[in-house]
Amino acid sequence: MGFMRAYKRLDNLCRDMNGIGVAGYIEDMNKKLNGSYAVSGWKEDYQTLKHYRHIRNQIAHETYADEENMCSAKDEEWLENFYQRILKQSDPLALYHKIAIQRTANQSTQANHTQTTTPTSENYHPSNASRKPVGCATMIFSIAAIVVFIAILLSI
């Protein structure tokens, strides 16, 4: 009965995390479209979880299925190892989450760096560095002032 005990233990841990269990863990993996690209071993873990969920369902619901003819000590060991990986936050979803946080932090850092770096335009000159960009309203006001000035000059 080692397989079912190990599966139930993993299922309870997953239920504490997502409110559903192993099925919810698999569902969460399905939602991460690029998980297999981001996390090494993602696809293997996903396939193995689905396989063990299928075996569990067969043992629970089919009269012909039992642990003795469907499982080995290796299966129980994998479930126990996966349980420990979740506790150590080295499971696929935890690794994906860590990578996502890192990417967000890197993008934020890059955005801040881009905003604080010196412009690289060909027209850039250090003496222009303190000038602020001219807004649309300022530009319209300047043009109107020039038009009024020219009208006054022409009327004299």
Side-chain angles (χ1 to χ4, degrees):
M1 290 298 269
F3 176 84
M4 286 301 284
R5 183 177 25 81
Y7 187 91
K8 286 178 186 179
R9 187 170 180 229
L10 177 61
D11 194 54
N12 287 332
L13 178 62
C14 291
R15 187 173 293 112
D16 289 343
M17 292 174 7
N18 60 34
I20 300 171
V22 171
Y25 193 97
I26 293 168
E27 214 175 278
D28 290 343
M29 288 181 82
N30 277 331
K31 293 176 184 174
K32 311 299 183 206
L33 300 177
N34 62 346
S36 62
Y37 298 109
V39 177
S40 177
W42 177 280
K43 190 173 185 178
E44 293 80 9
D45 287 335
Y46 175 78
Q47 293 297 332
T48 304
L49 283 170
K50 284 182 66 173
H51 174 70
Y52 287 148
R53 181 184 59 181
H54 178 71
I55 288 174
R56 180 259 171 219
N57 289 342
Q58 286 183 314
I59 292 170
H61 302 290
E62 302 296 333
T63 55
Y64 68 88
D66 57 36
E67 282 189 53
E68 289 77 30
N69 67 10
M70 297 192 72
C71 307
S72 70
K74 180 183 82 168
D75 300 324
E76 178 185 350
E77 182 182 339
W78 190 92
L79 290 168
E80 287 295 335
N81 286 337
F82 196 78
Y83 180 93
Q84 291 301 317
R85 287 172 55 198
I86 289 175
L87 291 179
K88 294 175 185 171
Q89 296 183 347
S90 61
D91 61 289
L93 289 176
L95 295 174
Y96 184 89
H97 182 69
K98 288 176 187 176
I99 290 169
I101 288 172
Q102 228 173 10
R103 283 185 183 155
T104 302
N106 288 345
Q107 288 172 350
S108 177
T109 302
Q110 284 179 340
N112 289 340
H113 180 69
T114 302
Q115 291 173 356
T116 59
T117 56
T118 305
T120 57
S121 169
E122 293 175 5
N123 297 330
Y124 174 76
H125 190 274
S127 64
N128 296 336
S130 62
R131 293 185 185 170
K132 293 185 178 180
V134 177
C136 186
T138 305
M139 184 77 82
I140 292 171
F141 179 75
S142 297
I143 293 171
I146 292 171
V147 169
V148 170
F149 181 72
I150 292 174
I152 292 173
L153 283 177
L154 290 176
S155 67
I156 297 181

